[in-house]
Amino acid sequence: MRRRNTPAKEAVLAVLTKAGKALSHEAILENLAIDADRATVYRVLNRFCEDGVLHKVVAEDGKQYFAICNKCDAEKHSDNHFHFRCNSCNTLECLPAPVAFTVPEGYFAESLNCIINGRCKNCA
């Protein structure tokens, strides 16, 4: 479904594109070049997720982060990959390479929400 372009959508996408990593709702609000209320930004983020533009990462503390999708679309949305959260600088990013895992026999994985915690390459 084609949605109309709005200043809020453009501003949110610009913040996430410039960041190059997953950002929380609060971080997105802090970096917006326009005035937009919390509800508008949440609505934009959720629509972007529905449309396959972004994917949502829920951290262990329940906080939601949003990252730009690579090679995704609404029909083939792929946010089932590992993420890395740095304990030093608190960044959260999609890992650039696949991480292998297996589940015990008789179990079948359908979705994945994994965050590996540690220190990123910049803080190590």
Side-chain angles (χ1 to χ4, degrees):
M1 176 175 162
R2 181 107 168 111
R3 301 186 197 268
R4 69 183 180 95
N5 212 9
T6 66
K9 284 173 66 173
E10 289 178 5
V12 167
L13 200 54
V15 167
L16 286 163
T17 301
K18 183 178 178 186
K21 60 184 175 187
L23 295 177
S24 67
H25 178 262
E26 293 80 17
I28 294 167
L29 275 172
E30 289 173 9
N31 290 292
L32 279 180
I34 65 166
D35 244 1
D37 62 47
R38 293 178 59 80
T40 299
V41 173
Y42 264 125
R43 201 168 27 254
V44 167
L45 291 169
N46 286 322
R47 286 191 182 138
F48 277 152
C49 288
E50 289 171 11
D51 294 345
V53 175
L54 302 179
H55 67 272
K56 186 183 329 184
V57 182
V58 180
E60 64 279 356
D61 61 0
K63 195 173 199 177
Q64 296 179 354
Y65 293 82
F66 299 87
I68 292 180
C69 289
N70 291 320
K71 302 175 187 164
C72 291
D73 59 42
E75 290 81 37
K76 190 182 173 205
H77 190 66
S78 177
D79 58 358
N80 291 329
H81 55 267
F82 282 78
H83 298 85
F84 190 91
R85 183 174 188 166
C86 180
N87 293 328
S88 296
C89 65
N90 282 327
T91 60
L92 189 137
E93 59 186 309
C94 302
L95 287 178
V99 176
F101 73 97
T102 59
V103 295
E105 189 175 326
Y107 292 86
F108 301 94
E110 292 180 354
S111 67
L112 174 71
N113 183 20
C114 288
I115 298 174
I116 300 171
N117 293 293
R119 290 190 324 193
C120 70
K121 58 185 175 188
N122 296 326
C123 296

